[in-house]
Amino acid sequence: MIVDGDIEWASEGAWRKAGYTVKDAAKEALAFNYRTTGGGKYAVWDDGAATVFDCENSRQGAARFSVEFHVVHPQGKIDDKAERFISAYAKAYRKMVTCDG
């Protein structure tokens, strides 16, 4: 998302192999101070969050899909808000992803 010509919010979705976890997603996002929530369903850190869900797609050679976002210029820690947001965002994002079966 661009606000007044500056990138303020970024999101990425990616196809993943079996076994890829939210911890892997957080490490890939260079989120060193993350915590897992939702029974390990989400990883949340100071300026973003990630989730990974099962989604087999033979065309992509994938078994899972990851969704990650971060706020470029947060006003303080946003991890509590990020936790609430990633749940709703991933639910909506999942509807756009084509899974086999």
Side-chain angles (χ1 to χ4, degrees), residues 22-23 34-44:
V22 294
K23 290 180 180 182
Y34 69 89
R35 63 183 168 86
T36 59
T37 66
K41 192 173 182 178
Y42 310 108
V44 179

Side-chain angles (χ1 to χ4, degrees), residues 14 30 40 45 80:
L30 303 177
W45 52 92
D80 290 337

Side-chain angles (χ1 to χ4, degrees), residues 36-85:
T36 59
T37 66
K41 192 173 182 178
Y42 310 108
V44 179
W45 52 92
D46 289 349
D47 64 351
T51 191
V52 179
F53 53 85
D54 292 332
C55 181
E56 290 198 30
N57 185 300
S58 55
R59 289 182 53 203
Q60 298 294 330
R64 307 203 83 201
F65 195 85
S66 68
V67 177
E68 177 251 324
F69 81 90
H70 73 275
V71 176
V72 178
H73 300 111
Q75 301 295 316
K77 289 178 65 175
I78 64 161
D79 56 333
D80 290 337
K81 292 175 186 172
E83 182 176 355
R84 290 191 310 270
F85 181 79

Side-chain angles (χ1 to χ4, degrees), residues 1-42:
M1 180 182 312
I2 298 174
V3 178
D4 295 331
D6 294 322
I7 296 173
E8 295 294 336
W9 185 85
S11 174
E12 180 179 0
W15 294 104
R16 304 296 184 174
K17 300 287 184 194
Y20 191 85
T21 68
V22 294
K23 290 180 180 182
D24 297 324
K27 289 175 186 174
E28 192 173 287
L30 303 177
F32 300 107
N33 295 319
Y34 69 89
R35 63 183 168 86
T36 59
T37 66
K41 192 173 182 178
Y42 310 108

